[in-house]
Amino acid sequence: MIVPAFNEEAVIGRCLEALLDQVVPADEIVVVDNNSTDRTALIAGGYADRGVRVVHEPRQGLVPARDRGFDEATGDILGRVDADTLVEPDWVLRLTEAFADPGVSAVTGPSWFYDAPMHRAGLAAQRLLCHRVNRMLSGHPMLWGSNMALTRECWQELRAHACPGPDLFEDLDLAIHLHRLGRRVHYADRLRAPVSARRLAGSLGGLRRYLRTWHRTYALHDQHRAAAGARVFTATGLVLLFPPVALLLRAYTPYEGTLSPRRLFARSTTAVRPIP
C-alpha cells in the first residue's frame, strides 16, 4: 500500500492506523515523504516496528511521489490512498477479491467525507460526481486516487505512458491511459475509503483552482468534449453546491458529530481539516 504525503502530520497517523487495522493484513505499507517540513516523516517512522516503511522523494509533486511509491513497492497488487484516507477494515480483503479476476488491471471504489455530516448523501454524491459523471464524459471508468490499486504488471506497462504533471488530475490521467492501453478498470462499490472534507472546507478560490485541473486533464489528452463537460459541471457545482456545503461544514464539529450555528461566526473552523 502506497501513501504519498506532503505536510500531513495532522492526518497521517489515522491513515496508517486504518491501513494496519485490516481483517486481511497488507503485505507492506510504504509512505512516500515528499519533502515535508512538518512531523509527517517522524510520525510515519514511528510505525516502523509495525511494518511501515518511509521513503523520501526529493522531486516535489504528487505524481513523482506516487511513482516512487509504486516503484518501491514489492507486491503484485499496488494499493494507493491519500494521507487523509481512512480505509474500512475490509479494504485489503475487498482488493483481494476484486483482483481474483485475472482480467482486472485496476480497481477503484467510492468514498465519503468522514468529517462531514450526512455520510450516505456524501457517498451518493461521490459515486455520481466522481465516477458516473466522469464515465459519462470520457466513455470509460474513472480511478479515484484516494481509493485505488493496480497490478504490478499493469504499472510496469502504464508507467511509460503516465503524464508527469503537475497541472493534472493524476488519477484521471492514469484512467485515460489505462483505457487507451485496453486495460480493464473494475469499480468495486464495496471497496470504500472515506476521506477528509478539508478541501471543501477551504476557500472558494482554492477549490476553483483545484477543480480547474479537471478540464485541463481532459484537454491535455485531446478529449475536448469531456473537457467542456467538466467545465460545465465545475461552474454549476461552484455556484449551486459550494455555498450551502461550505456553510454546513463550517457549522459542523468533526469527530463530535454536532452542528453548531455559533461556529458560523467563529474566526476559524478549519483547524481540524488542515489543507497542506
Side-chain angles (χ1 to χ4, degrees), residues 22-23 27 36 51 54 61 81 84 102-103 114 117 119 151 158 173-174 194 203 218 222 229 232 256 260:
Q22 294 290 302
V23 295
D27 291 335
S36 297
V54 180
V81 300
D84 67 342
Y114 56 75
H119 290 172
T151 65
L158 181 61
D173 173 67
L174 291 183
S203 68
Y218 277 127
D222 296 321
V232 171
E256 295 179 11
S260 172

Side-chain angles (χ1 to χ4, degrees), residues 48-224:
D49 60 345
R50 299 175 66 182
V52 175
R53 181 160 56 101
V54 180
V55 299
H56 178 68
E57 173 50 56
R59 295 171 299 162
Q60 194 65 46
L62 179 55
V63 172
R66 176 204 68 193
D67 291 355
R68 178 66 181 274
F70 282 159
D71 292 341
E72 287 278 344
T74 61
D76 293 329
I77 298 175
L78 310 179
R80 184 278 206 226
V81 300
D82 286 329
D84 67 342
T85 303
L86 297 181
V87 298
E88 294 198 332
D90 62 354
W91 192 74
V92 175
L93 174 62
R94 298 289 182 184
L95 279 182
T96 303
E97 293 172 346
F99 282 109
D101 182 344
V104 172
S105 295
V107 175
T108 193
S111 297
W112 68 86
F113 299 121
Y114 56 75
D115 53 355
M118 301 185 297
H119 290 172
R120 290 186 179 180
L123 176 62
Q126 201 273 345
R127 284 193 190 113
L128 173 64
L129 298 175
C130 296
H131 292 284
R132 293 174 184 169
V133 165
N134 273 292
R135 186 159 193 157
M136 178 188 70
L137 293 175
S138 66
H140 57 77
M142 170 66 170
L143 285 176
W144 177 242
S146 298
N147 182 14
M148 57 167 282
L150 309 168
T151 65
R152 167 170 292 283
E153 181 265 339
C154 174
W155 172 243
Q156 290 171 344
E157 180 183 13
L158 181 61
R159 198 187 196 293
H161 299 273
C163 297
D167 194 15
L168 54 76
F169 274 2
E170 55 89 21
D171 45 10
L172 177 56
D173 173 67
L174 291 183
I176 291 171
H177 289 293
L178 284 169
H179 175 70
R180 292 177 176 177
L181 291 169
R183 293 281 186 165
R184 180 183 167 196
V185 175
H186 174 64
Y187 173 81
D189 192 65
R190 299 301 301 175
L191 181 74
R192 298 180 179 181
V195 298
S196 173
R198 57 188 182 169
R199 195 173 296 279
L200 291 178
S203 68
L204 176 61
L207 182 61
R208 182 179 59 83
R209 287 189 295 272
Y210 170 73
L211 290 176
R212 190 166 55 193
T213 310
W214 184 15
H215 73 258
R216 288 181 175 176
T217 304
Y218 277 127
L220 176 67
H221 296 86
D222 296 321
Q223 295 191 12
H224 298 295

Side-chain angles (χ1 to χ4, degrees), residues 1 3 14-22 26 29 81 87 91:
M1 300 301 137
V3 187
R14 295 198 303 267
C15 174
L16 294 177
E17 289 287 350
L19 287 171
L20 289 165
D21 186 24
Q22 294 290 302
I29 299 173
V81 300
V87 298
W91 192 74

